[in-house]
Amino acid sequence: MTSVEINSMSEAFYSHARLYDLMFPGGEPAVDFYRTSADRQGGRVLELGCGTGHKLIPIASAGHPCVGLDFSPDMLAEAQRKANERGVAVEWMQGDMRAFDLGRTFDFVFIAANSLLHLHEAEDLVSCFRSVRQHLAPGARFVFDVFNPSVRLLAEADGVRRTRESLAFMDPDRGNVSVDVAEIYDAHAQVTRGTWHLSAESDPDFVIAPLEIRSIFPQELPLLVSLGGLRLVERFGDWSGRPFAGDTPLQLCICESA
Ligand SMILES: C[S@@+](CC[C@H](N)C(=O)[O-])C[C@H]1O[C@@H](n2cnc3c(N)ncnc32)[C@H](O)[C@@H]1O
């Protein structure tokens, strides 16, 4: 692994890789979508912001040569541990998706689960798309999913700490863990700035970590993609393949080299 220095408000959040997996289990429709897309494309697969390998390990299990790039050493270590446990080979690399050069091309590149939204500057998003383009083999596809910003939900981010019942989980070491989040929306930056609190009965606030997520609005998305030398071929609104619309939860984007 090469080392990389990143000034990220979300780094501390991802230094708790095992807790991350406990907090966000499931996600089968997304795994199925990416695995089916990789199968349809065939060949080599690259995931940027691969985390603990939630999508990439199942894809590698299907026989694709896979590379996973992430800046968090803790997420990568957990990914490696899980892949070893399942006897699956994946090349895990520490790196920054804003600019990377792996010296080879891939048939399928993807960025899942809002990972792209850790890039807040428009220049960083374009630079990421340019790096992706350099890594696309002829006929390759690039797919990413980001949420569809809801003005109503963004406006509800008032800085008040609230419990998210749906994220509570059982930690074998600590028992029941509750998750509280306080968020404000910075409209100028288009970034939701949150502070996440994880508490166990005997250990309140054992994690306090910032997490900052950009919104990409529907009209700017194709422009950013095209500035990166890519073409948005299709945009779905959910995992079933419903067309993107104002009220769909996702922007699930299928891109090619322009
Ligand atoms: C929401 S998690 C998603 C993980 C995984 N893709 C999944 O679907 O479960 C976001 C991941 O993006 C990574 N990340 C954030 N900024 C990054 C950057 N600039 N370069 C590479 N990875 C980054 C984080 O370390 C984290 O593992």
Side-chain angles (χ1 to χ4, degrees):
M1 286 185 190
T2 50
S3 85
V4 60
E5 268 183 43
I6 298 190
N7 175 18
S8 160
M9 284 306 289
S10 304
E11 231 172 324
F13 185 86
Y14 292 115
S15 67
H16 305 278
R18 200 181 51 81
L19 295 173
Y20 176 88
D21 273 352
L22 290 169
M23 197 166 22
F24 299 106
E28 277 76 19
V31 174
D32 286 347
F33 183 91
Y34 281 110
R35 189 173 37 203
T36 307
S37 304
D39 287 346
R40 197 176 301 128
Q41 276 303 118
R44 297 176 304 270
V45 177
L46 168 65
E47 183 182 5
L48 306 171
C50 62
T52 64
H54 181 250
K55 319 284 177 314
L56 202 55
I57 292 173
I59 292 173
S61 303
H64 297 276
C66 289
V67 175
L69 180 139
D70 201 286
F71 78 64
S72 163
D74 304 271
M75 295 294 266
L76 288 169
E78 182 62 9
Q80 176 88 69
R81 190 195 64 73
K82 284 162 54 178
N84 290 350
E85 195 175 79
R86 289 163 212 194
V88 175
V90 176
E91 194 180 340
W92 306 107
M93 306 183 76
Q94 192 183 11
D96 186 345
M97 70 169 98
R98 288 176 294 187
F100 57 95
D101 180 4
L102 306 183
R104 56 195 136 145
T105 59
F106 296 83
D107 302 288
F108 183 62
V109 179
F110 71 102
I111 307 180
N114 294 317
S115 302
L116 188 63
L117 302 181
H118 288 300
L119 312 189
H120 297 172
E121 303 300 325
E123 291 77 12
D124 288 341
L125 289 161
V126 171
S127 157
C128 172
F129 292 147
R130 288 202 177 121
S131 287
V132 167
R133 186 176 190 271
Q134 280 168 18
H135 292 77
L136 294 181
R141 289 217 148 165
F142 166 52
V143 178
F144 64 92
D145 70 275
V146 292
F147 69 86
N148 180 16
S150 149
V151 176
R152 187 180 55 77
L153 289 180
L154 294 175
E156 280 175 11
D158 56 4
V160 176
R161 177 174 167 169
R162 292 189 180 86
T163 300
R164 298 222 177 146
E165 308 286 357
S166 63
L167 295 179
F169 61 92
M170 163 65 81
D171 177 358
D173 298 334
R174 296 184 178 85
N176 290 322
V177 174
S178 62
V179 180
D180 293 359
V181 184
E183 283 181 336
I184 51 156
Y185 180 59
D186 176 342
H188 180 248
Q190 297 183 196
V191 171
T192 300
R193 305 191 194 282
T195 305
W196 287 57
H197 300 254
L198 271 58
S199 299
E201 211 170 280
S202 58
D203 200 357
D205 287 349
F206 68 90
V207 170
I208 303 177
L211 186 68
E212 304 204 332
I213 293 283
R214 190 194 203 274
S215 289
I216 302 182
F217 286 92
Q219 289 279 343
E220 65 172 334
L221 186 145
L223 297 177
L224 293 167
V225 165
S226 78
L227 284 169
L230 299 165
R231 191 169 69 85
L232 182 61
V233 180
E234 202 147 23
R235 180 163 28 175
F236 299 119
D238 66 19
W239 298 112
S240 74
R242 184 157 53 118
F244 171 71
D247 61 350
T248 54
L250 289 182
Q251 305 186 74
L252 174 51
C253 300
I254 319 295
C255 309
E256 294 175 346
S257 282

